[in-house]
Amino acid sequence: MAIERTREEVAATPDERYMREALKEAEQSLRSKDRPVGVIIVHQDHVIARAHHQVKLLRDPTAHAAIIAITQAANALQSDQIPEATVYITQEPCAMCVGAILLSGATRLVFGATDSKRGACGSVIDLTRNEQLNRRLVVVRDVLAGDCHALLRKATAGVHTEI
């Protein structure tokens, strides 16, 4: 049985393929009228966690997609750390989420859309380059940024009014 793939899927880099998965997670946030942010965590070429923003759904200001996914990933690895993991997130993470990513021991962060109000990877503050911290993180920016920004615009265009 042949598996058909679009030209876009064949030409996509691994970062783009995983970001598309994160975008699918982000779309789930729209259904609950939450901020459309999705996260996929990959370890040794396997997706070990996937989550989307659930702040409104759970009435929990800390229920950001990255925080939920980090917990899932640590449980999947049966550890309090997720070494050698890559975190894919559709929007530049906030300070809370970058802090959690750094503390988790993940080694790479890949994000799509920048966040000029809360972004902690260079847009407002850059915790990933703070030499006073004892953790380092490779950051890849702007992966499928257009698609990620489009989803955020869709959220503000009437699906819900507050993100």
Side-chain angles (χ1 to χ4, degrees):
M1 177 175 161
I3 298 174
E4 291 190 32
R5 297 162 104 186
T6 66
R7 180 176 291 154
E8 188 175 84
E9 290 172 326
V10 172
T13 66
D15 284 348
E16 290 169 336
R17 283 195 304 272
Y18 288 125
M19 187 61 73
R20 288 199 192 290
E21 290 298 312
L23 278 162
K24 290 176 189 174
E25 281 297 317
E27 288 172 0
Q28 290 187 38
S29 296
L30 287 175
R31 292 186 197 103
S32 60
K33 298 186 173 69
D34 222 320
R35 184 174 192 78
V37 177
V39 173
I40 298 293
I41 298 181
V42 176
H43 182 264
Q44 297 178 350
D45 297 323
H46 292 94
V47 174
I48 59 170
R50 56 180 66 237
H52 56 276
H53 239 51
Q54 297 181 42
V55 171
K56 291 183 186 299
L57 180 68
L58 299 177
R59 295 184 180 147
D60 177 355
T62 67
H64 290 205
I67 302 298
I68 295 166
I70 289 167
T71 300
Q72 291 174 358
N75 285 330
L77 297 178
Q78 298 181 348
S79 175
D80 62 348
Q81 297 284 293
I82 56 171
E84 300 174 23
T86 299
V87 178
Y88 293 88
I89 184 166
T90 57
Q91 185 177 30
E92 180 181 3
C94 68
M96 175 181 70
C97 292
V98 171
I101 293 166
L102 286 165
L103 291 172
S104 76
T107 54
R108 259 179 107 233
L109 168 65
V110 179
F111 72 85
T114 54
D115 185 345
S116 63
K117 294 181 181 177
R118 292 169 289 269
C121 296
S123 291
V124 176
I125 188 172
D126 195 345
L127 295 177
T128 64
R129 293 187 184 181
N130 186 325
E131 293 181 11
Q132 293 176 321
L133 299 175
N134 67 343
R135 302 284 175 112
R136 297 292 170 257
L137 189 61
V138 173
V139 179
V140 179
R141 304 163 195 273
D142 300 323
V143 174
L144 299 181
D147 294 345
C148 294
H149 278 293
L151 188 58
L152 289 163
R153 280 191 302 276
K154 181 178 177 182
T156 58
V159 175
H160 63 283
T161 57
E162 181 185 327
I163 61 169

